Every structure is written in structure tokens, then in C-alpha cells.
Amino acid sequence: MLNNIVNILGLLMMIIFSIFWGLYGYLLANVIAPFLSLFWYKRSLWNIKSPLLRFTKKEIWSFAIHASITALLSDAFFSVDILLLNFFKNESVVANYKVALIIPANITFLALSFMQSDYPILAKNYRNKSFLINYMINYYKIFIPISFLILVTGCFLSRTILWLFFGMQYTDNSFSFSLLLAAFCSSMLLRNLYGNMLSAVGLMKRNTFYSILSLILLVGFSYFLVPKYGAVGMAVSLSTTLTIIGVLMMFSFFAYLRTLK
């Protein structure tokens, strides 16, 4: 609930500030918005004594640093593709790719919102093997049908969706749109799930490693595919990278499960 309140207030502030101060207002709103959550903290929360913590300062700082690096690299991952495409191709190809990407890339908010509310429970039960397995099963019960419905609907109506939201001139990007939609549906089932699970059980270093690897893979695939196939080549590069990283995260988490009794 707090996250929704902060996001809504941040959006309203962004609109108002942008109207009055343009780009600077937009940037200022983005800077201020995260700090709105501080108004909900009670004074007593700032006086938590260290004996209540079961971790050393080194462990906490290590987790925090790797979490920050992972978040930074994840944001960079979804910017590098545009930069690479602009380097290898022209603005027209970039525009076509961004049109194909924008809707598929945003469907993952479903999984992220779902897991964000469950994150404290997952962290609390990080040594409870049966709980973690049951959580994955229940997650798949919800998101396999959702992903299937999104994918089937998106693929059959890809040209209509592109025409409706972006115009007739972009309907030729239906293949890239469908490919990216499949990639982000699989990302909800693999990368989003197991990335958050790895974080919840304390394996943030693995996420940092996979974030670095994802950038390397994306650059490598793009180098060979984008010059020849343009926006489709970038869609294939991004889809392949997301799938590989998701599978590796899954294997890492199952390896962790095998260490539990």
C-alpha cells in the first residue's frame, strides 16, 4: 500500500512539476519521490538497537552494495540495447524497436508487484525448504496462465495493438513485438521469480554476477545480429539474453535448495 501511495504521489508531483518547470521539474520530481516514504516511518523505527540484528555490519553492507549494483546494472541493461541499436543503425530502426519493446517490457510489473509484497515473508523463511518450494508452485499456478493469456492475445493481435497505440506505420514490427512479448513472459516465469528468490535468501552476489553477465551477452549477441537484422536482431539478442539469464538463475536457486534439509 505504501509503495502504491508513493508511486501515485510521485506521478502527480511529476505532472505538476513538469507543467510549471518542464524538464527540470520532471527531474526534481524523480529526485524527491523516493523520499516520500519517510513520512510513514515512526520515530521509534530510527532507534532500533543493534542487538536485535542477527547480521554483522559487514554482511549488511555487502548485501546493500550488491543490491545497489544489481539495480544499477538492471537499469543499464534496458538502456544498453537502445544505445547499441543507435550505434549500429539509424534513428528509424531505434524508433521501430522502441515501439516493439515498450508494451512487452512493462508487463513484468505484474510479477514484480506480486513478489514485492511477499519479499519479507520469503526472507523470513529463507531456510524453510518446503515453504520456498510451495511458494514457487503457487507462483506458477498464477503466472503460467497469465503469461499464456498475455502471449496468445498479444501474438494474435500484435498488428492491431501496434496500430491502435502507435499508428499504422509501425505494424510491420509485429514479429519483434511478439518475440519480445514471449521473452518478457518467460522472464516473469524465470528471471523475475528466481532473481527475487535469490535476493530473498541472501544470494545477492549471484544476482550481481548475472547482471554483469547479461550485459556481456547482450553486447555480444547484438554485435553479430543487429548490423544484419536491425530491430529484429536486437529483439532476438534481448530475448536470448533474458532467457539464458533466467535459466541460470533457476539453476542457482535449485542448487541453493539442495543445500537445505
Side-chain angles (χ1 to χ4, degrees), residues 180-234:
L180 289 168
L181 195 63
F184 282 99
C185 283
S186 69
S187 183
M188 285 199 295
L189 301 177
L190 293 172
R191 183 174 176 269
N192 293 130
L193 171 61
Y194 295 108
N196 279 280
M197 297 286 275
L198 288 172
S199 174
V201 301
L203 298 178
M204 185 55 76
K205 290 182 180 179
R206 301 277 183 91
N207 279 340
T208 303
F209 169 75
Y210 289 132
S211 296
I212 296 171
L213 181 61
S214 66
L215 287 172
I216 295 172
L217 289 176
L218 182 60
V219 172
F221 288 135
S222 301
Y223 179 80
F224 292 102
L225 296 176
V226 171
K228 185 175 182 180
Y229 300 105
V232 174
M234 181 56 75

Side-chain angles (χ1 to χ4, degrees), residues 132-190:
L132 296 174
I133 292 174
N134 286 331
Y135 184 87
M136 287 190 297
I137 293 172
N138 290 325
Y139 179 91
Y140 280 133
K141 285 180 180 178
I142 296 172
F143 280 97
I144 286 179
I146 290 176
S147 299
F148 179 78
L149 181 62
I150 291 174
L151 181 60
V152 172
T153 304
C155 288
F156 276 107
L157 300 177
S158 58
R159 293 182 66 87
T160 303
I161 292 171
L162 292 172
W163 169 77
L164 182 63
F165 287 98
F166 305 104
M168 183 62 69
Q169 67 270 29
Y170 292 109
T171 54
D172 290 339
N173 297 297
S174 59
F175 176 75
S176 297
F177 175 85
S178 299
L179 182 61
L180 289 168
L181 195 63
F184 282 99
C185 283
S186 69
S187 183
M188 285 199 295
L189 301 177
L190 293 172

